[in-house]
Amino acid sequence: MTDMEQGWAEQIRQAAANNTALRIRGSGSKDFYGQQLVGEVLDTRAHRGVIAYEPAELVVKVRAGTPLAELEASLAADGQMLGFEPPHFGPDATVGGCVAAGLSGPRRASAGSVRDFMLGVTLLDGRGKRLHFGGEVMKNVAGYDVARLMTGSLGTLGVLLDVSIKVLPLPVAEATLRFEMDAVAAVAQMNTWGGQPLPVSASSWVGGVLTLRLSGAEAAVSAACQRLGGERLSDEAARTHWQGLREQSHGFFGGEAPLWRLSVPSVAEATGLAGSQLIEWGGAQRWVRTEQDAASVRARADALKGHATLFRGADKSAGAFHPLPPALRTIHQRLKHSFDPDGVFGPGRLYEGL
């Protein structure tokens, strides 16, 4: 262990001995996400830097406190990227925060989620022990599922020290097309195109406009543009649109009503919820701004065979995340006890009592 890691390990052991909580935090850009924030802050930002990067192997190993923008700039210099296109929600967002939140951007439906790119992690558990899971290559599957478990755990299972992530080449060419149509037609069209050999890398619908991004080889993108038609956006307008969705700076996200994220089958019918909506990921992600109560929103998500997260909203007394079935809650409890037996890390951040 480094001196910094030893200091954190001692801090963890002291918190366990004193029955107090710790809140693992990078820049705090995602403090709004999840349930209440509890405990003394354990700031990870000083633990930064790329440990190993092999462009030919499409793998990077990086310390969790490293600024996300810094990592992305390093990858871009070698013509590569994080395939899941993670949101930052702040200029100082860290790699650890990116993994802990488990949020993916517009490219998620075509490339995969954060969890799909995780290869390995090193962490401090609730006893202050340094543990390593996974490897630096896809074929090394030892402990791979544990590495994935850290994704989306919001710092409730351990302090991430470093992560190994699969990266992808930047696309050679991209084009963004727009089509005017209503939401029902847009969802049908997204699913139709999704089943065809088209280089679709992102899609969205809002305000009567379906927007489609094509990425890949120059010939493939050009042929798809000719086949699909529509209005082609300038490169700058395209960047603004997809960045606006990724970072939630798009006008849709500026409203006052609570923001809900519904994850549903891509072919699901309209949500029928009052308020405005934005559709992403080929129809599988439905953002809804609505004043309807949590019970109504979640009942509708259940009816659509999905689940609903209160993404941004002042009142989270009904829970930020969709209630867990009893069997799944039991699994969560066992995982929490295995990694954090004294409940040191972010108690209640995901669910009450966890």
Side-chain angles (χ1 to χ4, degrees), residues 8 55 178 196 264 283 295:
W8 288 345
R178 277 187 173 173
Q196 296 176 353
V264 298

Side-chain angles (χ1 to χ4, degrees), residues 98-305:
C98 160
V99 173
L103 301 174
S104 304
R107 205 179 297 271
R108 185 257 184 269
S110 62
S113 68
V114 186
R115 182 173 286 109
D116 298 319
F117 287 82
M118 288 295 293
L119 299 177
V121 297
T122 305
L123 60 91
L124 294 175
D125 71 3
R127 303 173 186 86
K129 292 182 179 179
R130 192 178 196 273
L131 305 175
H132 177 75
F133 299 98
E136 281 69 59
V137 291
M138 286 295 290
K139 64 183 179 181
N140 185 347
V141 298
Y144 185 64
D145 287 344
V146 175
R148 288 183 168 192
L149 282 174
M150 298 300 119
T151 308
S153 63
L154 286 179
T156 61
L157 298 179
V159 181
L160 288 176
L161 299 177
D162 60 65
V163 296
S164 297
I165 306 174
K166 177 185 175 184
V167 300
L168 294 179
L170 286 166
V172 175
E174 284 195 331
T176 293
L177 307 176
R178 277 187 173 173
F179 310 82
E180 292 188 4
M181 63 183 73
D182 62 29
V184 174
V187 169
Q189 191 64 76
M190 288 178 188
N191 280 277
T192 297
W193 286 336
Q196 296 176 353
L198 293 167
V200 176
S201 64
S203 58
S204 70
W205 179 91
V206 63
V209 177
L210 169 62
T211 307
L212 190 74
R213 185 174 66 191
L214 305 167
S215 304
E218 186 71 55
V221 170
S222 179
C225 287
Q226 292 180 7
R227 174 182 169 183
L228 298 177
E231 174 197 359
R232 182 164 180 172
L233 300 187
S234 68
D235 290 345
E236 182 59 31
R239 277 192 295 271
T240 298
H241 177 77
W242 299 115
Q243 185 75 359
L245 296 187
R246 177 180 179 176
E247 301 300 338
Q248 296 192 349
S249 58
H250 186 282
F252 168 84
F253 296 101
E256 294 297 324
L259 176 65
W260 288 85
R261 181 183 67 190
L262 274 67
S263 297
V264 298
S266 64
V267 295
E269 63 188 34
T271 65
L273 296 169
S276 57
Q277 73 169 324
L278 186 153
I279 303 172
E280 284 191 277
W281 298 359
Q285 180 162 264
R286 317 282 176 94
W287 295 101
V288 182
R289 277 207 173 275
T290 180
E291 297 287 357
Q292 286 189 241
D293 62 274
S296 298
V297 174
R298 290 192 163 124
R300 184 55 182 155
D302 283 332
L304 295 174
K305 302 186 184 305

Side-chain angles (χ1 to χ4, degrees), residues 2 4-5 8 25-27 43-52 60-74 91-96 160-163:
T2 65
M4 185 180 300
E5 292 171 5
W8 288 345
R25 186 178 187 268
S27 72
D43 192 323
T44 65
R45 287 175 293 177
H47 192 64
R48 59 190 290 173
V50 174
I51 299 171
V60 63
K61 184 175 183 179
V62 59
R63 294 185 180 91
T66 305
L68 188 55
E70 184 179 297
L71 172 60
E72 289 178 322
S74 178
D92 301 317
T94 63
V95 174
L160 288 176
L161 299 177
D162 60 65
V163 296

